[in-house]
Amino acid sequence: MDKILDVREMAPKERHPMIFNTFKGLDPGESFVLVNDHEPKPLLYQFQNEHAGEYEWWPLEQGPEKWRVEIARRKEAAPERSVTDYFQTDHRRLDAIYERFEDAAAGGQWDQALSDFREFRLGLTRHIKAEEEILFPLFEEKTGMIDAGPTFVMKMEHKEIKELLERIESNTASRNATEVTEARTLLMNILADHNMKEEHILYPESDSFISDDERAEVLKKTQLL
Ligand SMILES: [Fe+2]
Ligand SMILES: [Fe+2]
């Protein structure tokens, strides 16, 4: 279980020093979950400026009352990071949340399953948004492949994935085990193949077409979504 740092009751001026001290106290590969009462964008800017390449920033909940972000210390700190590494790491992270959801659903722990699934859905929705709004347009601009290229196929699959996310969440909320099982199977079939195509084709090709500056920009903008 991750450490939790809830700063909601702290005086505002004490929050950032406390957060950075907690971060500095992490061993490589460790993380903590920050809980806050507003969107922690200024904090993210500070991480981007002062700790480039050293951390991961994974939002788990984005309001309206509570914001939760998992902040990790990367195992190997490196300011230059490939698109492939970043998005692939996010795929693995989401797989792990999804497994928690499956275990909870299989054990009939529906409240836990619902909160795990919401985390998964938020993460995957942000991931897809980053691909569609930040990475794919750059890929299309560099390759000229728009209507018949790989991004076109990926976007069609994203649409199906998002529909299934909606279906699984509503059926988890209403505890309809049969429907959840059916939609889960469909989602896993699409997602396994989808992620593999991205990891083997789209991300590495993106890395080969874009400059180091563009790559850094993609990753910064993605974190800010
Ligand atoms: Fe995708
Ligand atoms: Fe992806």
Side-chain angles (χ1 to χ4, degrees), residues 3-7 10 14-27 30-34 47 71-73:
K3 294 178 206 171
I4 293 174
L5 176 63
D6 188 341
V7 299
M10 276 177 213
E14 290 166 9
R15 293 181 183 184
H16 281 206
M18 176 60 112
I19 293 163
F20 284 102
N21 279 340
T22 305
F23 175 71
K24 283 170 195 155
L26 294 176
D27 286 331
E30 270 191 333
S31 65
F32 69 97
V33 174
L34 170 70
F47 265 103
I71 300 171
R73 180 179 280 284

Side-chain angles (χ1 to χ4, degrees), residues 87 91 124 127 131 158 194-195 198 203:
F87 282 89
H91 285 169
L124 186 52
H127 180 101
E131 289 174 343
H158 285 167
H194 178 87
N195 287 355
E198 289 181 338
Y203 301 157

